[in-house]
């Protein structure tokens, strides 16, 4: 009897285990089968957009056969003003074209390798379930094209990238982008959607060094980038390229990180993310200040803009933002909303720095000079403008107008025009304490800049000959004199 | 005595025979290629001759004139893809400015036929790689960072196929333009990927992690790119940036 009852117990236990096993098995199966079995009705040529634009939402459309055609282009373009780099691109831009589909779509993907390209390429889409994410099926020589197909099973925001050897180099040269897979019925509508992707770049010359800059393999292996950028260029999302929204609008950013090496601490200065789709997946986290985006990962962030301002997109690993280029602007216009932000208190304002290596040490004599360089005024204007936009514009802005109560204007500035030697000294040694510029009092800190004599002369010549200033030309000798004598 | 004979023979080849044409003598030796050696054991390269420069448009036109079946409109499609000599304005006319530039947009079949018709052959991958690892002063400069860096930046420079052959500096063997000009066909360009001897590593493809595992020298990114390129092509492909040069065995020449 005893043996019988224990056998019975064993049997019950066994049944329980089996049935639990079945349950969990069915649960996961059900999900996959559901996506897999969604029928595709008709076909559709996918809209592809270059950054920062995003294709139209899928809305209520049924799953379809989605036809995608993407061209690979190896092309030289500017990585910063006056600095060129040979980028390898999906669709001609860094990041590559944005792809948007929905769960159940059957994608027919054609990858075209332009005949003028030197190298074979392929594509690994993280949204693909299958060998290499499509890498092997799409491996294509210059002047050829490959077509492969797959079904979108899981909703989310996914990275795609080239996976041809040497993989790191193909990614480092800009071969990545995003593919969004919307759930059935689509994401909830918002007013504005933008496409932003971070990447790190490794050049032979240091940040801002003008001319053609080749890829530096050793720096890439050492994970020591010269540039960390949004949308492939210093200023890719600032100046004329900044994003725009109106007060009261809801904004959704599709943010990816192509890497190849760095993980991003994505943050928008002056905003709080109402919602973050963590890692680009289904989990929604609310009220987030900074979200981590893995290399080869993505995130969807949403917020409502309540007050007019210049929201600053940064990688909050902050030296990358102010010294390596990871800076963008979302300009919000509209009526002031004093309830949300009165904007009158200057204390506690964040203190961005210039973009080259800075030195708070007042002893400027230790800095190397490059006095052999002699430039014409026209050359100084070009060189100076590039350096100004890469460094000084972070605070004084590209139009030299500065930011009220924080960073004094350089445009039509009485303080600047009155004393050239003082201006040189400020660039070389920094400035702190109270100054009055055009009748307004500023009290903050400008760190010493590590420019050499020729660079300093060029920047100041550019500043003195722009925005209604008095047209002074500054020479490297003047700078040298002040550097050495004081 | 034997050594003396060999030396005399080599000198004869080098200075009597070799001077009259545009081939360079490569003494051969042992080396470990990036791919294609079993367990990273060095492989032996027998001495051979290699064209000093890639075959030019002018030279290829002479070949076509002799063997019209290789003209763009006469060639059998299975031997040459759609882009075969696509830049040529006519069957017997190349773009003028490219006279002394390497002929490109030619298939493996065409390159092989050319070499055979002049009594030569295409070099093997290992021969090509052996000759191409030499800098101006070293037989094996692969560990030389500046050398690799220069090759790498050459691969990133667009339109180098328009350059004229033989103007850059020759390498240790007296060979020009192995780098910084065009990719070059080799006899067994696809053997490493498809039927190479390192099947024991069971995954020799060039994607993602696998590429790093099979590599003998992680730093040699430039070589990675050549092997990746070779594995992406098929024998009837005709590509803008892909040309060739010929090799010859010692006995054929002697």
């Amino acid at each position: 009897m005893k043996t019988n009852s224990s056998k019975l117990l064993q049997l019950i236990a066994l049944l329980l285990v089996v049935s639990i096993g079945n349950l969990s098995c069915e649960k996961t199966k059900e999900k996959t089968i559901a996506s897999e079995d969604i029928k595709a009705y008709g076909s559709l040529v996918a809209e592809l957009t270059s950054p920062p634009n995003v294709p139209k939402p899928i809305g209520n459309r049924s799953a379809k056969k989605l036809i995608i055609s993407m061209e690979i282009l190896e092309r030289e373009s500017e990585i910063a003003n006056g600095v060129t780099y040979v980028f390898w691109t999906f669709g001609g831009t860094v990041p590559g074209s944005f792809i948007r589909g929905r769960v159940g779509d059957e994608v027919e993907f054609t990858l075209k390798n332009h005949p003028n390209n030197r190298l074979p390429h392929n594509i690994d889409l993280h949204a693909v379930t299958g060998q290499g994410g499509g890498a092997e099926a799409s491996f294509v020589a210059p002047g050829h094209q490959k077509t492969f197909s797959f079904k979108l099973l899981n909703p989310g925001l996914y990275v795609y990238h080239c996976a041809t050897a040497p993989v790191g180099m193909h990614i480092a040269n800009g071969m990545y982008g995003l593919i969004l897979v919307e759930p059935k019925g689509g994401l909830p509508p918002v007013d504005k959607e933008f496409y932003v992707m971070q990447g790190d770049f490794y050049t032979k010359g240091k940040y801002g060094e003008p001319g053609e800059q080749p890829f530096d393999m050793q720096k890439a292996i050492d994970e020591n980038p010269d540039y960390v950028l949004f949308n492939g260029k210093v200023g890719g999302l600032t100046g004329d390229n900044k994003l725009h929204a109106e007060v009261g609008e809801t904004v959704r950013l599709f943010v990816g990180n192509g890497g190849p090496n760095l993980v991003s601490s994505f943050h928008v200065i002056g905003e709080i993310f109402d919602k973050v789709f963590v890692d680009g997946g289904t989990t929604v986290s609310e009220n987030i200040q900074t979200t981590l985006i893995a290399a080869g990962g993505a995130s969807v962030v949403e917020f409502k803009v309540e007050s007019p301002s210049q929201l600053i997109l940064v990688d909050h690993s902050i030296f990358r933002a102010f010294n390596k280029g990871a800076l963008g602007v979302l300009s919000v216009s509209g009526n002031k909303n004093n309830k949300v932000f009165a904007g009158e208190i200057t204390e506690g304002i964040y203190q961005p720095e210039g973009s080259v290596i800075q030195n708070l040490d007042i002893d400027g004599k230790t800095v190397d000079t490059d006095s052999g360089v002699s430039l014409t005024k026209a050359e100084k204007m070009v060189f100076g403008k590039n350096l100004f936009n890469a460094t000084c514009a972070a605070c004084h802005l590209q139009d030299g107008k500065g930011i009220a109560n924080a960073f004094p204007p350089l445009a039509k500035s009485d303080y600047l025009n009155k004393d050239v030697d003082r201006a040189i000294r400020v660039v070389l040694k920094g400035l702190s304490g109270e100054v009055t510029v055009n009748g307004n009092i500023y009290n903050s800190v400008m760190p010493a800049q590590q420019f050499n004599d020729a660079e300093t002369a060029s920047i100041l010549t550019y500043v003195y000959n722009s925005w209604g200033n008095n047209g002074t030309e500054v020479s490297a000798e003047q700078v040298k004199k002040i550097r050495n004598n004081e | 005595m034997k050594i003396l004979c060999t030396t005399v023979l080599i000198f004869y080849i080098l200075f009597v025979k070799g001077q009259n044409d545009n081939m360079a003598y490569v003494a051969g030796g042992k080396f470990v290629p990036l791919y294609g050696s079993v367990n990273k054991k060095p492989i032996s390269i027998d001495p051979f001759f290699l064209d000093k420069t890639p075959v030019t448009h002018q030279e290829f036109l002479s070949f076509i004139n002799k063997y019209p079946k290789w003209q763009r409109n006469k060639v059998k499609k299975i031997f040459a893809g759609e882009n075969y000599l696509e830049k040529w304005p006519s069957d017997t006319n190349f773009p003028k400015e490219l006279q002394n530039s390497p002929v490109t947009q030619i298939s493996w079949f065409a390159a092989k036929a050319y070499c055979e018709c002049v009594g030569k052959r295409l070099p093997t991958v290992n021969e090509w790689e052996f000759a191409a690892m030499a800098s101006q002063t070293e037989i094996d400069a692969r560990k030389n960072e500046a050398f690799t860096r220069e090759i790498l930046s050459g691969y990133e420079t667009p339109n180098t196929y328009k350059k004229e052959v033989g103007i850059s500096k020759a390498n240790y063997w007296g060979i020009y333009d192995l780098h910084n000009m065009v990719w070059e066909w080799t006899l067994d360009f696809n053997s490493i990927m498809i039927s190479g001897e390192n099947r024991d590593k069971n995954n020799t493809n060039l994607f993602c992690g696998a590429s790093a595992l099979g590599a003998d020298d992680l730093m040699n990114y430039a070589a990675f790119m050549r092997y990746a390129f070779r594995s992406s092509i098929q024998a009837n492909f005709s590509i803008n940036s892909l040309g060739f040069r010929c090799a010859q065995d010692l006995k054929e020449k002697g």
Side-chain angles (χ1 to χ4, degrees):
Chain A
M1 198 55 197
K2 207 179 172 185
T3 44
N4 269 356
S5 69
S6 75
K7 263 189 185 163
L8 193 66
L9 273 173
Q10 270 178 10
L11 188 67
I12 290 167
L14 188 69
L15 278 171
L16 264 173
V17 168
V18 169
S19 62
I20 288 166
N22 273 347
L23 268 179
S24 60
C25 207
E26 264 161 26
K27 210 176 167 189
T28 47
K29 242 185 192 166
E30 202 175 57
K31 204 178 159 194
T32 344
I33 288 170
S35 293
E36 204 181 307
D37 288 350
I38 295 172
K39 282 220 172 71
Y41 297 95
S43 70
L44 180 72
V45 176
E47 178 195 4
L48 301 181
T49 58
S50 51
N53 301 312
V54 179
K56 283 184 278 302
I58 61 123
N60 280 322
R61 79 164 168 83
S62 65
K64 288 181 185 294
K65 180 178 173 184
L66 192 63
I67 299 162
I68 298 174
S69 170
M70 202 181 259
E71 187 182 37
I72 293 166
L73 291 167
E74 299 166 6
R75 55 192 289 265
E76 186 176 271
S77 59
E78 285 200 324
I79 192 167
N81 288 328
V83 188
T84 55
Y85 187 80
V86 177
F87 291 97
W88 301 346
T89 69
F90 286 107
T93 54
V94 177
S97 309
F98 195 101
I99 307 168
R100 190 167 196 159
R102 60 150 283 174
V103 167
D105 277 351
E106 288 168 3
V107 179
E108 184 187 284
F109 199 113
T110 301
L111 191 65
K112 301 169 173 176
N113 195 348
H114 195 278
N116 285 342
N117 291 349
R118 286 289 294 273
L119 298 157
H121 297 287
N122 64 6
I123 191 166
D124 166 356
L125 299 116
H126 291 179
V128 169
T129 310
Q131 181 61 51
E136 296 198 42
S138 64
F139 188 44
V140 60
H144 291 80
Q145 63 180 53
K146 282 270 181 78
T147 301
F148 65 111
S149 70
F150 53 90
K151 195 170 177 80
L152 298 175
L153 301 181
N154 302 63
L157 182 63
Y158 299 94
V159 167
Y160 65 78
H161 63 90
C162 183
T164 302
V167 180
M169 183 175 177
H170 283 255
I171 294 175
N173 282 342
M175 296 198 80
Y176 44 76
L178 292 178
I179 173 170
L180 172 68
V181 183
E182 294 198 61
K184 183 186 170 194
L187 292 169
V190 290
D191 298 313
K192 291 273 164 68
E193 291 185 325
F194 298 108
Y195 172 20
V196 176
M197 200 156 180
Q198 182 172 325
D200 27 306
F201 293 86
Y202 305 82
T203 54
K204 197 173 170 200
K206 66 178 166 65
Y207 179 90
E209 200 170 301
E212 284 176 25
Q213 291 296 337
F215 168 69
D216 191 309
M217 174 181 68
Q218 193 58 51
K219 284 182 183 173
I221 292 169
D222 295 344
E223 306 191 13
N224 179 23
D226 300 278
Y227 295 88
V228 181
L229 303 175
F230 292 134
N231 293 0
K233 195 190 167 188
V234 176
L237 284 177
T238 61
D240 292 342
N241 299 321
K242 62 187 173 190
L243 310 173
H244 294 275
E246 299 284 329
V247 168
E249 285 186 323
T250 44
V251 175
R252 176 181 288 143
L253 302 178
F254 297 104
V255 192
N257 183 6
N261 289 320
L262 301 187
V263 167
S264 174
S265 308
F266 186 71
H267 177 80
V268 175
I269 299 174
E271 256 305 335
I272 295 153
F273 304 143
D274 299 331
K275 281 184 187 173
V276 172
F277 290 73
V278 179
D279 297 332
T282 315
T283 304
V284 172
S285 203
E286 295 185 337
N287 305 321
I288 302 298
Q289 56 189 312
T290 301
T291 190
L292 205 61
I293 307 177
S299 188
V300 182
V301 306
E302 294 179 6
F303 49 88
K304 187 178 173 192
V305 286
E306 285 99 348
S307 120
S309 57
Q310 305 283 311
L311 301 176
I312 316 285
L313 283 60
V314 295
D315 179 342
H316 215 296
S317 301
I318 208 73
F319 274 99
R320 298 173 189 168
F322 295 113
N323 298 69
K324 297 187 174 184
L327 199 69
V329 175
L330 170 60
S331 176
V332 182
S333 52
N335 293 327
K336 243 184 159 184
N337 183 348
N338 283 341
K339 252 197 305 190
V340 176
F341 187 68
E344 288 169 2
I345 300 160
T346 57
E347 279 185 48
I349 198 146
Y350 86 102
Q351 172 62 62
E353 293 157 11
S355 300
V356 294
I357 296 165
Q358 289 167 336
N359 190 354
L360 279 168
D361 185 359
I362 303 299
D363 178 17
K365 283 174 192 170
T366 57
V367 180
D368 282 335
T369 58
D370 191 6
S371 50
V373 181
S374 170
L375 300 169
T376 66
K377 187 171 177 187
E379 284 169 341
K380 281 183 199 166
M381 288 299 285
V382 175
F383 191 41
K385 184 179 181 184
N386 289 340
L387 287 168
F388 181 88
N389 287 341
T391 304
C392 320
C395 299
H396 294 291
L397 303 193
Q398 281 195 3
D399 57 9
K401 286 187 181 147
I403 292 175
N405 303 322
F407 308 122
L410 300 175
K412 288 188 190 153
S413 160
D414 56 0
Y415 186 87
L416 175 82
N417 287 312
K418 198 178 168 193
D419 189 343
V420 179
D421 287 356
R422 178 172 65 187
I424 295 172
R425 212 173 294 129
V426 167
V427 175
L428 294 181
K429 300 178 180 182
L431 179 67
S432 61
E434 200 174 286
V435 292
T436 305
V437 182
N438 296 348
N440 296 316
I441 293 170
Y442 294 84
N443 190 354
S444 53
V445 181
M446 169 168 160
Q449 306 292 317
Q450 279 203 341
F451 294 118
N452 66 30
D453 294 345
E455 288 167 340
T456 307
S458 298
I459 291 169
L460 284 170
T461 301
Y462 169 70
V463 168
Y464 272 114
N465 289 276
S466 305
W467 322 304
N469 287 331
N470 66 13
T472 306
E473 185 182 350
V474 179
S475 71
E477 288 70 35
Q478 272 174 284
V479 178
K480 192 179 182 183
K481 203 173 143 198
I482 288 174
R483 192 194 296 277
N484 291 337
N485 290 353
E486 298 181 18
Chain B
M1 188 61 196
K2 203 177 172 187
I3 291 167
L4 186 68
C5 280
T6 320
T7 316
V8 169
L9 180 69
I10 287 171
F11 269 85
Y12 171 76
I13 290 163
L14 272 179
F15 296 105
V16 182
K17 280 279 188 185
Q19 269 184 344
N20 298 329
D21 60 28
N22 58 359
M23 295 195 95
Y25 175 73
V26 180
K30 290 190 171 196
F31 86 122
V32 182
L34 188 63
Y35 288 97
S37 84
V38 180
N39 300 327
K40 297 188 182 181
K41 279 190 188 139
I43 56 164
S44 280
I45 301 293
D46 291 334
F48 66 103
F49 285 93
L50 191 62
D51 284 350
K52 284 179 184 166
T53 58
V55 173
T56 63
H57 280 83
Q58 182 65 58
E59 289 165 336
F60 199 76
L61 178 63
S62 324
F63 162 72
I64 277 187
N65 286 340
K66 254 192 212 166
Y67 305 94
K69 70 169 180 176
W70 289 103
Q71 286 175 9
R72 188 178 64 199
N73 287 310
K74 290 188 180 150
V75 72
K76 289 206 171 74
K77 281 295 160 218
I78 55 160
F79 293 137
E82 276 170 37
N83 295 330
Y84 181 73
L85 299 180
E86 184 259 341
K87 282 204 169 60
W88 290 37
S90 79
D91 270 357
T92 53
N93 226 336
F94 51 76
K96 267 200 190 103
E97 68 278 10
L98 296 180
Q99 181 172 354
N100 295 318
S101 301
V103 65
T104 62
Q105 299 186 318
I106 33 85
S107 65
W108 176 83
F109 294 105
K112 185 167 172 282
Y114 176 101
C115 291
E116 284 165 3
C117 291
V118 295
K120 302 177 187 175
R121 60 174 173 81
L122 284 171
T124 63
V125 171
N126 287 337
E127 284 173 338
W128 196 97
E129 289 287 328
F130 183 84
M133 71 187 183
S135 66
Q136 286 171 45
T137 52
E138 280 177 284
I139 290 176
D140 184 355
R142 290 179 296 175
K143 293 266 183 326
N144 179 338
E145 202 187 311
F147 176 71
T148 303
R149 197 191 288 261
E150 198 187 319
I151 296 172
L152 211 52
S153 89
Y155 288 161
E156 289 196 276
T157 312
N159 299 326
T160 48
Y161 68 88
K162 291 178 180 166
K163 293 203 286 192
E164 290 198 7
V165 305
I167 287 174
S168 61
K169 288 202 169 127
N171 77 0
Y172 178 88
W173 304 109
I175 303 170
Y176 297 82
D177 303 320
L178 285 161
H179 303 293
N180 302 336
M181 184 162 278
V182 286
W183 306 109
E184 296 184 14
W185 282 111
T186 48
L187 195 60
D188 53 345
F189 69 94
N190 54 4
S191 65
I192 304 299
M193 297 310 128
I194 294 160
S195 60
E197 38 299 33
N198 51 353
R199 272 172 295 189
D200 56 329
K201 287 177 186 171
N202 89 43
N203 189 356
T204 57
N205 74 33
L206 280 159
F207 307 112
C208 287
S211 61
L213 295 175
D216 289 315
D217 184 358
L218 275 174
M219 299 295 289
N220 203 338
Y221 268 41
F224 260 129
M225 292 166 82
R226 286 194 297 277
Y227 284 96
F229 181 83
R230 288 181 193 125
S231 69
S232 79
I233 54 180
Q234 293 169 27
N236 65 348
F237 280 18
S238 301
I239 295 174
N240 256 349
S241 55
L242 175 57
F244 72 104
R245 72 178 78 213
C246 308
Q248 200 169 35
D249 291 331
L250 239 49
K251 57 178 185 292
E252 297 294 328
K253 200 162 177 86

